[in-house]
Amino acid sequence: MNRPALRIAVTLTLTDVAVASLPVAPWIVWMAIPAVLTWVLWYRPESTALAAALCAGAVLGLTARDVLPPTLAVQPRGDRCRIEGTVTTVLRADSMVVRLAVRGTIDARQLPPMHHRAVLTILRPTAEQRSVRGGQHVIATGRCEVAPQGALTGDRIGRMQLLASDAWWFVQSDGRRTWIDGEASVVDIVLDTIRRTIDGRVRETFPADVQPIVAAILTGDARAIATEDREAFARTGTAHMFSVSGSHVALIASALTMLTAWLAPRWRAVVVIALMTVFVGVTGAQPPAVRALLAAACVVVGRLTERDVDGMNLLGAAVIMMIMLDPVLPWRVSAQLSIGGVAGILLLTQPLTTMLERVSSHAWYPASVLRTMLSVSLAAGAGVAIPSAITFGSVVLLAPVANLIVVPLLSAAMLAAAASVVLPWDVHAPIAALCVRWATEVSLQLATLHTEVRWPVLAALVFVLTTCWICGSTDVSKLWLRLALGVLITLLVMIMPDARRSDEVHVRPDLVAYVLTSAAQQPLGTRVVLIDRQPAADRPRADRTLAVHLLSLAPLVVYEHGLCAGSTVDKLEDMAGDSLTVIRLPWTLP
């Protein structure tokens, strides 16, 4: 099938990544661009579009070099820096902490000035700083560090929040060293007003126990979700419902299409695209939602002009538009997961559905719906398995089953909650609350079955290959045989010992944890060294997530140095009881 947009998108992306990653001098790239264009126009004029994509990708790759964080042998930790830029999203704003996603210039002592995205945390904020809006200008001096790359279970949740903002740097400042000025744009003020109105309606309409999840599925604001619920959804692979993505945009687009059926086709297309644009803007305009908006707009325009709609070609067109606006899109984990999930659905849903129809001859309509839902869940899981394993160091094998139950429940809750927020009566609120409670309970129960895998990338690869392999099953016996072989190989990967001989290092905001895995089994258990990253004058606080992770390695021998490390060990002792042995070092390291 002819898919020009897909070919151009692949060429553009690969060239962008190659030029930005390979150690090629910029002057060589600038010399190669006119040479390639001249050769193609002279000898291969039919390939002009691909040549233009190649040259555009090279230019975007040079631009991405100035945005991507540098690769350093030793990353700066706690380095003094100055950040100046524009607030893109307000992640938290209360009397204790203000946390902002900022796009601007970071100037650190050890590094040259760089134009990056960062998460700025303001301690002891003033009243003016607590009322910050998106679009305002911010200047702050404090400490910066690269986002942690550890694979702790608790780290994954924090990194998901960081990566959802498409940021690579943490910056921590004090309210006295932070200046916020300027007025937000009219668009930012309108979007912020809509968000505040929705939040107010959610608080007025829904019970307190479901308000955080309702706010998350409506606006993508997952800040108030309890840690236990957040971990449960993350362990079952359903936390993507709290980040507004393609499924949310598709639901909104379908509902708007039905509600505007009385309009003329052209006016219906204008209204649907305009309202979807407002919805994506209110939810923060994250890459998955933007990609879905662009694809949905292409579908609406294509149907209006009576043109064929090809899913992969639409995906390619959306990627072209996004990468032209953001050259570092291939490095955005949110974009990787979104594009991978959509590609998996487009490529594998139909083969999986056909296979299930071959092995199951039930013509009952609910059976057909169940087959389609299972196919979509498996296909999406296969599409995001490898990027998720590489980024977060984990693969959720329960995701297809959990998504089969949780996604329909939260989708129904989203539609009912949207109706309750928009309409003046609250008849849909009980339905939304019931669906949210059921989805939370299912996630909590399934999360207890989750098991961490030592080799997540290998397990994800086995899952993808097994999903593709079962597509060729012609009867039930072959299906069960191939599933059994896939499950057996996955179990072997899960119990495979880790042959690495280097010490495992986990970097936390306040601590560095060295888990000594290279030595033989110790008589007293695993050895762990905790060392403070912050000066002793800073506020000592226990790292509960790290303590929970270390508890899973008990019995332990813990060496600690510093106030934060001592507080963490105290919490660890309270949780572990008699199964923990603690050896405390003096405050000054030898």
Side-chain angles (χ1 to χ4, degrees), residues 69-394:
T71 302
L72 304 175
V74 178
Q75 299 288 359
R77 295 171 181 169
D79 187 24
R80 299 293 299 179
C81 73
R82 178 182 184 273
I83 181 172
E84 179 177 357
T86 303
V87 178
T88 58
T89 309
V90 180
L91 303 176
R92 177 180 174 184
D94 52 45
S95 59
M96 299 297 296
V97 171
V98 171
R99 185 168 292 118
L100 310 171
V102 179
R103 178 186 296 175
T105 301
I106 299 176
D107 188 3
R109 290 185 301 180
Q110 303 180 25
L111 300 171
M114 298 165 293
H115 188 75
H116 284 174
R117 302 188 188 195
V119 171
L120 171 63
T121 300
I122 305 173
L123 303 178
R124 296 176 288 274
T126 64
E128 181 183 356
Q129 293 165 355
R130 290 195 296 270
S131 60
V132 62
R133 291 175 179 264
Q136 287 189 284
H137 190 74
V138 60
I139 302 175
T141 57
R143 297 182 179 274
C144 69
E145 60 187 35
V146 180
Q149 300 298 316
L152 290 177
T153 302
D155 274 342
R156 191 180 314 118
I157 297 172
R159 292 191 64 206
M160 287 177 67
Q161 296 175 339
L162 181 73
L163 294 170
S165 303
D166 288 330
W168 282 295
W169 294 84
F170 286 109
V171 179
Q172 180 173 304
S173 179
D174 189 88
R176 295 170 298 178
R177 298 181 175 89
T178 304
W179 297 268
I180 299 177
D181 58 8
E183 293 294 334
S185 64
V186 176
V187 174
D188 289 319
I189 293 175
V190 171
L191 294 178
D192 186 68
T193 303
I194 296 175
R195 291 190 198 101
R196 294 175 185 271
T197 303
I198 293 175
D199 291 339
R201 285 286 296 165
V202 168
R203 287 192 296 269
E204 295 173 359
T205 307
F206 295 94
D209 61 322
V210 301
Q211 287 178 10
I213 294 181
V214 170
I217 61 179
L218 283 180
T219 64
D221 183 6
R223 294 174 293 178
I225 298 179
T227 303
E228 181 183 5
D229 295 340
R230 192 190 302 273
E231 290 181 356
F233 283 102
R235 288 174 179 270
T236 55
T238 55
H240 61 88
M241 291 300 294
F242 303 146
S243 174
V244 177
S245 58
S247 59
H248 298 74
V249 175
L251 285 172
I252 295 298
S254 301
L256 291 175
T257 302
M258 289 187 294
L259 292 175
T260 58
W262 55 277
L263 291 174
R266 292 186 179 181
W267 286 109
R268 184 194 309 170
V270 172
V271 171
V272 169
I273 294 175
L275 292 178
M276 285 194 302
T277 303
V278 173
F279 172 73
V280 172
V282 169
T283 57
Q286 298 301 323
V290 174
R291 186 266 313 153
L293 172 63
L294 294 174
C298 291
V299 170
V300 172
V301 174
R303 290 183 175 177
L304 181 63
T305 56
E306 298 182 355
R307 304 191 62 172
D308 294 334
V309 176
D310 181 79
M312 292 300 295
N313 204 48
L314 286 178
L315 179 61
V319 170
I320 291 172
M321 289 183 279
M322 292 176 65
I323 201 171
M324 293 295 288
L325 296 174
D326 186 4
V328 296
L329 181 75
W331 288 268
R332 307 288 187 199
V333 178
S334 56
Q336 294 174 8
L337 296 177
S338 173
I339 295 171
V342 174
I345 291 174
L346 294 174
L347 294 174
L348 295 177
T349 298
Q350 186 58 44
L352 286 170
T353 303
T354 304
M355 179 271 297
L356 291 176
E357 289 175 351
R358 285 199 303 263
V359 300
S360 176
S361 58
H362 295 287
W364 192 34
Y365 178 75
S368 176
V369 174
L370 183 61
R371 285 194 295 264
T372 303
M373 292 173 57
L374 181 59
S375 300
V376 172
S377 181
L378 283 172
V384 303
I386 294 179
S388 179
I390 293 174
T391 304
F392 303 114
S394 177

Side-chain angles (χ1 to χ4, degrees), residues 515-517 521-522 524-528 553-558 581:
V515 182
L516 307 182
T517 58
Q521 182 66 27
Q522 300 298 315
L524 295 178
T526 306
R527 295 178 299 165
V528 178
L553 305 177
L556 299 172
V557 178
V558 181
T581 301

